[in-house]
Amino acid sequence: MSSLFADTHNVVSILEKLDAAEGFEQIIDFLSGSYIHYALTVNPLIYISCIKQFWNTAFVKHSGDVTRLQALVDKKKIMISEVVIREILQLDDAEGVVCLPNEEIFTGLAQIGYEKPSTKLTFYKAFFSSQWKFLIHTILQSLSTKRTSWNEFNTTMASAVICLSKGQKFNFSKYIFDSLVHNVDSSSKFYMYPRFIQLIIQNQVGDLSTHT
């Protein structure tokens, strides 16, 4: 793989009211009470050797209309599906939105103060208030597949932000699973979602005390 771990991808969100977070207390309270709080903040001990084994052996397995991701860690089979991700990350988002229609995205972003009316499908964090910038940046760094270009985001992440703003659920489980599947054969493959993969490995393998 051309790139291994991305330090700024799938980071742990620190939702504490520290001095550096002054002025963002309302957004911190909102995220702390949301259904994505666990996924944002869970902080497992990541064993590099486990993550490497997983991604070096991962392949996509189709059975009827069911798609799974399969890999080996310590010669034990790891199976990942959308359902597994939903359970491990405590998301409860099976009925959530996958992606809103474009017109609903434009309207929804305008309703939360997006100051750059456009018909383009790339959106920019800089044109939101500081409160929304904080929320968007948190989502992008913790839950999206992005590794760089934090000022911009696509329709899928726009849908997630709009759903959160309206108290609706976005299907992060499907987004994360589909991203993992796409990463397997991607030309820019990297060690995606190490926090979440580690949680799944711990759940399915058990004792990892021999790893570093």
Side-chain angles (χ1 to χ4, degrees), residues 177-194:
F177 178 68
D178 288 350
S179 299
L180 292 171
V181 168
H182 177 74
N183 189 56
V184 170
D185 295 317
S186 172
S187 59
S188 56
K189 183 177 180 180
F190 71 107
Y191 294 152
M192 183 181 282
Y193 289 120

Side-chain angles (χ1 to χ4, degrees), residues 125-191:
K125 190 178 65 178
F127 295 99
F128 289 90
S129 69
S130 58
Q131 297 286 330
W132 286 109
K133 286 178 185 176
F134 182 97
L135 183 143
I136 292 166
H137 191 76
T138 299
I139 299 301
L140 294 181
Q141 278 213 315
S142 292
L143 301 182
S144 83
T145 60
K146 290 177 73 67
R147 290 175 280 174
T148 57
S149 304
W150 303 112
N151 187 47
E152 61 185 52
F153 55 99
N154 61 14
T155 54
T156 305
M157 286 297 97
S159 298
V161 171
I162 292 166
C163 287
L164 285 168
S165 75
K166 293 183 175 181
Q168 300 174 346
K169 287 189 176 180
F170 174 80
N171 195 335
F172 278 103
S173 300
K174 177 174 173 55
Y175 168 77
I176 292 167
F177 178 68
D178 288 350
S179 299
L180 292 171
V181 168
H182 177 74
N183 189 56
V184 170
D185 295 317
S186 172
S187 59
S188 56
K189 183 177 180 180
F190 71 107
Y191 294 152

Side-chain angles (χ1 to χ4, degrees), residues 23-40:
F24 298 102
E25 292 87 355
Q26 186 176 359
I27 289 293
I28 289 172
D29 284 342
F30 172 75
L31 290 172
S32 295
S34 73
Y35 76 103
I36 60 173
H37 177 256
Y38 182 77
L40 290 173

Side-chain angles (χ1 to χ4, degrees), residues 28-56:
I28 289 172
D29 284 342
F30 172 75
L31 290 172
S32 295
S34 73
Y35 76 103
I36 60 173
H37 177 256
Y38 182 77
L40 290 173
T41 60
V42 63
N43 188 17
L45 178 61
I46 294 175
Y47 294 103
I48 294 173
S49 54
C50 286
I51 304 302
K52 285 182 176 180
Q53 281 188 62
F54 176 87
W55 279 114
N56 288 339

Side-chain angles (χ1 to χ4, degrees), residues 60-68:
V60 180
K61 184 175 183 178
H62 300 284
S63 178
D65 59 353
V66 177
T67 300
R68 294 184 177 87

